Amino acid sequence: MTTTPRRAPPVPAVAGRSNQAGEVNGLPITAAHLRALLRELDALGVQAPEGGTVTVALTEEDGSLRATATLDRLRRLAARGCPEHADAECACPLLDRPAGRDGYTPSAQQRAFVRTRDRTCRFPTCGQRVGWADADHVVPHAHGGATDCANLCCLCRSHHRLKTFARGWRSTMADDGTLTVTTPSGTTRTTRPPGLRPPPPAPEPPPEADEPPDPDDDPPPF
């Protein structure tokens, strides 16, 4: 693994126990979780390459990114534990999605989160490497858009300029990172973060019960 974010297999897959993505099921990511994760990573011999880092991504059941951190930061958090309950295991979260901020420039934690989530330019059909992409405010900051991971996505410089200066382009993004782009002609395209699983199909409606026959339609007796 290198300093450029890319798709990496989950811990159970690396260990040969599963081919499924890791999950945290919406629960707080506690010190106990981090220590258990580090034990598995250490047992597998996962180490940062010389001059680089290892980024660990923790996902929800649907594959949406919940948190990301370098291996070194995970070790610091696990060693420190909860500052409120230093002598006991607790359910306090130590790691989560980076908080929003008031200013225009995303924090280093936000940039790492968005790059790990998006991996490439999110403009439909682009795919430019994330190392060449900007962290774009989907709703422009000048128009009230928050500097928050739910309003930031990776765009290459060409598509960033297109979105910013060309008239008639509209973009919206859901909390899970699903991006919808509408062209000036009204054509809509949606892109999803690579790790996000498609939503389950909607259940089919139950079959309609047969209506009782209308007595007026009965044939006359013979």
Side-chain angles (χ1 to χ4, degrees):
M1 283 180 265
T2 67
T3 53
T4 300
R6 62 182 180 179
R7 179 65 171 166
V11 171
V14 174
R17 301 193 304 270
S18 170
N19 61 359
Q20 299 297 317
E23 300 173 0
V24 292
N25 296 322
L27 299 175
I29 301 172
T30 66
H33 291 141
L34 298 183
R35 290 167 187 148
L37 174 61
L38 287 168
R39 283 194 296 270
E40 293 205 52
L41 293 174
D42 288 341
L44 294 168
V46 176
Q47 295 181 354
E50 184 177 355
T53 60
V54 171
T55 296
V56 179
L58 294 94
T59 64
E60 296 282 8
E61 185 176 1
D62 62 359
S64 59
L65 187 61
R66 173 71 177 272
T68 183
T70 64
L71 198 56
D72 288 342
R73 186 182 178 211
L74 289 183
R75 295 190 191 284
R76 292 195 299 270
L77 290 172
R80 184 194 68 183
C82 174
E84 301 296 328
H85 306 92
D87 298 326
E89 296 291 346
C90 66
C92 297
L94 294 188
L95 189 63
D96 214 325
R97 187 162 72 178
R101 58 183 314 180
D102 294 332
Y104 171 80
T105 303
S107 66
Q109 290 79 14
Q110 287 175 323
R111 289 181 180 275
F113 183 97
V114 172
R115 289 187 173 194
T116 301
R117 182 196 67 197
D118 291 350
R119 302 175 198 162
T120 65
C121 171
R122 292 291 306 283
F123 195 87
T125 73
C126 180
Q128 178 67 268
R129 290 190 305 168
V130 74
W132 299 94
D134 300 328
D136 171 63
H137 289 73
V138 178
V139 177
H141 189 264
H143 296 165
T147 303
D148 186 271
C149 293
N151 190 49
L152 294 169
C153 75
C154 290
L155 290 182
C156 69
R157 186 59 55 86
S158 296
H159 287 127
H160 193 177
R161 288 176 175 172
L162 174 71
K163 172 183 175 293
T164 302
F165 299 112
R167 294 185 178 182
W169 291 85
R170 301 188 304 276
S171 300
T172 60
M173 194 168 72
D175 190 64
D176 63 7
T178 299
L179 179 70
T180 300
V181 177
T182 304
T183 70
S185 64
T187 302
T188 297
R189 294 288 184 268
T190 298
T191 69
R192 300 162 62 82
L196 187 63
R197 300 172 195 167
E204 295 184 1
E208 296 183 2
D210 294 335
E211 295 183 2
D214 189 335
D216 293 337
D217 293 337
D218 289 346
F222 291 99

